[in-house]
mmCIF file with all atom_site columns, all heavy atoms in Angstrom:
data_model
loop_
_atom_site.group_PDB
_atom_site.id
_atom_site.type_symbol
_atom_site.label_atom_id
_atom_site.label_alt_id
_atom_site.label_comp_id
_atom_site.label_asym_id
_atom_site.label_entity_id
_atom_site.label_seq_id
_atom_site.pdbx_PDB_ins_code
_atom_site.Cartn_x
_atom_site.Cartn_y
_atom_site.Cartn_z
_atom_site.occupancy
_atom_site.B_iso_or_equiv
_atom_site.pdbx_formal_charge
_atom_site.auth_seq_id
_atom_site.auth_comp_id
_atom_site.auth_asym_id
_atom_site.auth_atom_id
_atom_site.pdbx_PDB_model_num
ATOM   1  N N   . LEU A 1 17  ? -52.146 -107.458 -158.195 1.00 96.00 ? 28  LEU A N   1
ATOM   2  C CA  . LEU A 1 17  ? -51.879 -108.574 -159.051 1.00 96.00 ? 28  LEU A CA  1
ATOM   3  C C   . LEU A 1 17  ? -50.469 -108.491 -159.634 1.00 96.00 ? 28  LEU A C   1
ATOM   4  O O   . LEU A 1 17  ? -49.745 -109.522 -159.810 1.00 96.00 ? 28  LEU A O   1
ATOM   5  C CB  . LEU A 1 17  ? -52.901 -108.637 -160.229 1.00 96.00 ? 28  LEU A CB  1
ATOM   6  C CG  . LEU A 1 17  ? -54.372 -108.766 -159.833 1.00 96.00 ? 28  LEU A CG  1
ATOM   7  C CD1 . LEU A 1 17  ? -55.243 -108.969 -161.097 1.00 96.00 ? 28  LEU A CD1 1
ATOM   8  C CD2 . LEU A 1 17  ? -54.651 -109.941 -158.890 1.00 96.00 ? 28  LEU A CD2 1
ATOM   9  N N   . ASP A 1 36  ? -44.879 -98.348  -162.601 1.00 98.00 ? 47  ASP A N   1
ATOM   10 C CA  . ASP A 1 36  ? -46.023 -97.936  -161.768 1.00 98.00 ? 47  ASP A CA  1
ATOM   11 C C   . ASP A 1 36  ? -45.768 -96.506  -161.262 1.00 98.00 ? 47  ASP A C   1
ATOM   12 O O   . ASP A 1 36  ? -44.697 -95.967  -161.444 1.00 98.00 ? 47  ASP A O   1
ATOM   13 C CB  . ASP A 1 36  ? -46.162 -98.898  -160.565 1.00 98.00 ? 47  ASP A CB  1
ATOM   14 C CG  . ASP A 1 36  ? -47.619 -99.007  -160.074 1.00 98.00 ? 47  ASP A CG  1
ATOM   15 O OD1 . ASP A 1 36  ? -48.271 -97.975  -159.941 1.00 98.00 ? 47  ASP A OD1 1
ATOM   16 O OD2 . ASP A 1 36  ? -48.073 -100.167 -159.831 1.00 98.00 ? 47  ASP A OD2 1
ATOM   17 N N   . TYR A 1 144 ? -65.576 -97.541  -165.920 1.00 95.00 ? 155 TYR A N   1
ATOM   18 C CA  . TYR A 1 144 ? -64.497 -98.537  -165.781 1.00 95.00 ? 155 TYR A CA  1
ATOM   19 C C   . TYR A 1 144 ? -64.714 -99.666  -166.813 1.00 95.00 ? 155 TYR A C   1
ATOM   20 O O   . TYR A 1 144 ? -63.818 -100.006 -167.587 1.00 95.00 ? 155 TYR A O   1
ATOM   21 C CB  . TYR A 1 144 ? -64.481 -99.032  -164.342 1.00 95.00 ? 155 TYR A CB  1
ATOM   22 C CG  . TYR A 1 144 ? -63.610 -100.250 -164.076 1.00 95.00 ? 155 TYR A CG  1
ATOM   23 C CD1 . TYR A 1 144 ? -62.239 -100.131 -164.087 1.00 95.00 ? 155 TYR A CD1 1
ATOM   24 C CD2 . TYR A 1 144 ? -64.200 -101.478 -163.798 1.00 95.00 ? 155 TYR A CD2 1
ATOM   25 C CE1 . TYR A 1 144 ? -61.434 -101.213 -163.786 1.00 95.00 ? 155 TYR A CE1 1
ATOM   26 C CE2 . TYR A 1 144 ? -63.395 -102.609 -163.464 1.00 95.00 ? 155 TYR A CE2 1
ATOM   27 C CZ  . TYR A 1 144 ? -61.997 -102.452 -163.477 1.00 95.00 ? 155 TYR A CZ  1
ATOM   28 O OH  . TYR A 1 144 ? -61.261 -103.511 -163.214 1.00 95.00 ? 155 TYR A OH  1
ATOM   29 N N   . LYS A 1 148 ? -62.626 -100.636 -170.381 1.00 98.00 ? 159 LYS A N   1
ATOM   30 C CA  . LYS A 1 148 ? -62.085 -101.981 -170.562 1.00 98.00 ? 159 LYS A CA  1
ATOM   31 C C   . LYS A 1 148 ? -62.581 -102.581 -171.888 1.00 98.00 ? 159 LYS A C   1
ATOM   32 O O   . LYS A 1 148 ? -61.842 -103.302 -172.631 1.00 98.00 ? 159 LYS A O   1
ATOM   33 C CB  . LYS A 1 148 ? -62.385 -102.910 -169.381 1.00 98.00 ? 159 LYS A CB  1
ATOM   34 C CG  . LYS A 1 148 ? -61.748 -102.425 -168.073 1.00 98.00 ? 159 LYS A CG  1
ATOM   35 C CD  . LYS A 1 148 ? -60.266 -102.793 -168.032 1.00 98.00 ? 159 LYS A CD  1
ATOM   36 C CE  . LYS A 1 148 ? -59.671 -102.496 -166.661 1.00 98.00 ? 159 LYS A CE  1
ATOM   37 N NZ  . LYS A 1 148 ? -58.264 -102.920 -166.511 1.00 98.00 ? 159 LYS A NZ  1
HETATM 38 N N1  . NAD B 2 .   ? -58.518 -107.415 -158.490 1.00 65.55 ? 9   NAD B N1  1
HETATM 39 C C1  . NAD B 2 .   ? -59.643 -107.595 -159.093 1.00 65.55 ? 9   NAD B C1  1
HETATM 40 O O1  . NAD B 2 .   ? -60.679 -108.058 -158.517 1.00 65.55 ? 9   NAD B O1  1
HETATM 41 C C2  . NAD B 2 .   ? -59.695 -107.383 -160.580 1.00 65.55 ? 9   NAD B C2  1
HETATM 42 C C3  . NAD B 2 .   ? -60.785 -107.825 -161.268 1.00 65.55 ? 9   NAD B C3  1
HETATM 43 C C4  . NAD B 2 .   ? -60.945 -107.593 -162.607 1.00 65.55 ? 9   NAD B C4  1
HETATM 44 C C5  . NAD B 2 .   ? -59.917 -106.933 -163.314 1.00 65.55 ? 9   NAD B C5  1
HETATM 45 N N2  . NAD B 2 .   ? -58.866 -106.486 -162.649 1.00 65.55 ? 9   NAD B N2  1
HETATM 46 C C6  . NAD B 2 .   ? -57.799 -105.704 -163.383 1.00 65.55 ? 9   NAD B C6  1
HETATM 47 O O2  . NAD B 2 .   ? -56.528 -106.254 -163.002 1.00 65.55 ? 9   NAD B O2  1
HETATM 48 C C7  . NAD B 2 .   ? -55.553 -105.182 -163.032 1.00 65.55 ? 9   NAD B C7  1
HETATM 49 C C8  . NAD B 2 .   ? -54.764 -105.161 -161.739 1.00 65.55 ? 9   NAD B C8  1
HETATM 50 O O3  . NAD B 2 .   ? -55.706 -105.014 -160.680 1.00 65.55 ? 9   NAD B O3  1
HETATM 51 P P1  . NAD B 2 .   ? -55.177 -104.947 -159.173 1.00 65.55 ? 9   NAD B P1  1
HETATM 52 O O4  . NAD B 2 .   ? -56.211 -105.625 -158.340 1.00 65.55 ? 9   NAD B O4  1
HETATM 53 O O5  . NAD B 2 .   ? -53.769 -105.362 -159.091 1.00 65.55 ? 9   NAD B O5  1
HETATM 54 O O6  . NAD B 2 .   ? -55.309 -103.348 -158.835 1.00 65.55 ? 9   NAD B O6  1
HETATM 55 P P2  . NAD B 2 .   ? -54.310 -102.344 -158.186 1.00 65.55 ? 9   NAD B P2  1
HETATM 56 O O7  . NAD B 2 .   ? -54.926 -101.087 -158.026 1.00 65.55 ? 9   NAD B O7  1
HETATM 57 O O8  . NAD B 2 .   ? -53.636 -102.985 -157.021 1.00 65.55 ? 9   NAD B O8  1
HETATM 58 O O9  . NAD B 2 .   ? -53.205 -102.205 -159.363 1.00 65.55 ? 9   NAD B O9  1
HETATM 59 C C9  . NAD B 2 .   ? -53.293 -101.293 -160.401 1.00 65.55 ? 9   NAD B C9  1
HETATM 60 C C10 . NAD B 2 .   ? -51.934 -100.571 -160.439 1.00 65.55 ? 9   NAD B C10 1
HETATM 61 O O10 . NAD B 2 .   ? -51.968 -99.611  -161.509 1.00 65.55 ? 9   NAD B O10 1
HETATM 62 C C11 . NAD B 2 .   ? -51.230 -98.488  -161.076 1.00 65.55 ? 9   NAD B C11 1
HETATM 63 N N3  . NAD B 2 .   ? -51.608 -97.291  -161.811 1.00 65.55 ? 9   NAD B N3  1
HETATM 64 C C12 . NAD B 2 .   ? -52.768 -96.637  -161.734 1.00 65.55 ? 9   NAD B C12 1
HETATM 65 N N4  . NAD B 2 .   ? -52.718 -95.553  -162.553 1.00 65.55 ? 9   NAD B N4  1
HETATM 66 C C13 . NAD B 2 .   ? -51.520 -95.528  -163.156 1.00 65.55 ? 9   NAD B C13 1
HETATM 67 C C14 . NAD B 2 .   ? -50.873 -94.661  -164.015 1.00 65.55 ? 9   NAD B C14 1
HETATM 68 N N5  . NAD B 2 .   ? -51.517 -93.541  -164.481 1.00 65.55 ? 9   NAD B N5  1
HETATM 69 N N6  . NAD B 2 .   ? -49.632 -94.911  -164.406 1.00 65.55 ? 9   NAD B N6  1
HETATM 70 C C15 . NAD B 2 .   ? -48.948 -96.017  -163.948 1.00 65.55 ? 9   NAD B C15 1
HETATM 71 N N7  . NAD B 2 .   ? -49.536 -96.889  -163.097 1.00 65.55 ? 9   NAD B N7  1
HETATM 72 C C16 . NAD B 2 .   ? -50.798 -96.639  -162.704 1.00 65.55 ? 9   NAD B C16 1
HETATM 73 C C17 . NAD B 2 .   ? -51.581 -98.352  -159.558 1.00 65.55 ? 9   NAD B C17 1
HETATM 74 O O11 . NAD B 2 .   ? -50.600 -97.578  -158.874 1.00 65.55 ? 9   NAD B O11 1
HETATM 75 C C18 . NAD B 2 .   ? -51.618 -99.793  -159.150 1.00 65.55 ? 9   NAD B C18 1
HETATM 76 O O12 . NAD B 2 .   ? -50.375 -100.274 -158.612 1.00 65.55 ? 9   NAD B O12 1
HETATM 77 C C19 . NAD B 2 .   ? -56.316 -103.924 -163.334 1.00 65.55 ? 9   NAD B C19 1
HETATM 78 O O13 . NAD B 2 .   ? -56.217 -103.606 -164.700 1.00 65.55 ? 9   NAD B O13 1
HETATM 79 C C20 . NAD B 2 .   ? -57.763 -104.236 -162.996 1.00 65.55 ? 9   NAD B C20 1
HETATM 80 O O14 . NAD B 2 .   ? -58.647 -103.522 -163.714 1.00 65.55 ? 9   NAD B O14 1
HETATM 81 C C21 . NAD B 2 .   ? -58.682 -106.717 -161.268 1.00 65.55 ? 9   NAD B C21 1
#
Side-chain angles (χ1 to χ4, degrees):
L28 303 185
D47 208 314
Y155 171 69
K159 295 284 186 174

